Amino acid sequence: MCTDRNDLTESAMIEVLVSCNDTDRYPALIDPAEHRDGYVKPWFDLETVQRIADDTQADAARFSHGSVDTVHVIAGRVDGTEHAVVLNICWMYLGGEKHQEAVEVVQPSEGGRYAIGGFDWCWYQLDEQLSPVIPPQVKREILPPFPEQRAV
């Protein structure tokens, strides 16, 4: 998922804690109006992206690269100016049809924030008790039972 530099309007953003795995929590900016199926699209500063990189690489070493996307921050100096390149690697794509999509260069917003994983990582906002804050789901109609199934 490529991130467009114009995809972030920081004036509409609020600062929250987010998670995508019930373990790691990170500060981020989100637009509360921008969500998909209850999940948010967080924007992280570079320091937080480095923490995410450290955590994802540790998880890949512990659980295998085939089960965890990893983030990498490569820093360097060009003409006396510090630069960072942020990569998101989807290891599961490397051996299959999507191998050309396995590595994403995550572009920063105008304010220097990165949308790591976007909606694909299923980030959710946390409240003060570190419980998920998920907007209410659309009310669904109860489907009639299958012919062989008795109604309850």
Side-chain angles (χ1 to χ4, degrees):
M1 178 174 112
C2 291
T3 304
D4 188 329
R5 287 175 173 264
N6 299 322
D7 207 13
L8 174 64
T9 308
E10 289 193 32
S11 61
M13 299 288 180
I14 60 170
E15 189 169 28
V16 297
L17 277 180
V18 297
S19 181
C20 66
N21 63 8
D22 295 331
T23 302
D24 301 311
R25 301 172 185 102
Y26 307 101
L29 292 181
I30 65 163
D31 179 345
E34 184 181 20
H35 56 86
R36 185 182 303 156
D37 297 327
Y39 298 107
V40 297
K41 182 179 180 182
W43 293 84
F44 303 100
D45 61 23
L46 189 57
E47 180 180 334
T48 303
V49 171
Q50 184 61 62
R51 281 185 46 218
I52 294 169
D54 294 343
D55 291 343
T56 59
Q57 291 174 47
D59 286 347
R62 181 175 177 201
F63 302 113
S64 90
H65 284 81
S67 63
V68 178
D69 287 6
T70 57
V71 175
H72 303 264
V73 178
I74 302 167
R77 187 179 294 271
V78 177
D79 296 328
T81 303
E82 287 287 327
H83 294 277
V85 176
V86 176
L87 303 174
N88 180 16
I89 300 175
C90 181
W91 293 90
M92 291 181 289
Y93 285 0
L94 285 173
E97 293 178 15
K98 293 186 174 186
H99 68 277
Q100 293 173 330
E101 299 173 36
V103 179
E104 171 194 3
V105 177
V106 183
Q107 299 294 329
S109 69
E110 295 284 329
R113 293 201 169 247
Y114 299 82
I116 303 297
F119 288 115
D120 293 340
W121 281 26
C122 298
W123 291 103
Y124 51 89
Q125 178 183 345
L126 299 169
D127 65 13
E128 294 79 20
Q129 288 78 38
L130 303 178
S131 298
V133 176
I134 299 178
Q137 301 295 314
V138 175
K139 185 176 180 181
R140 302 189 192 287
E141 294 181 31
I142 298 174
L143 298 174
F146 290 109
E148 290 83 297
Q149 207 177 24
R150 62 184 174 112
V152 185

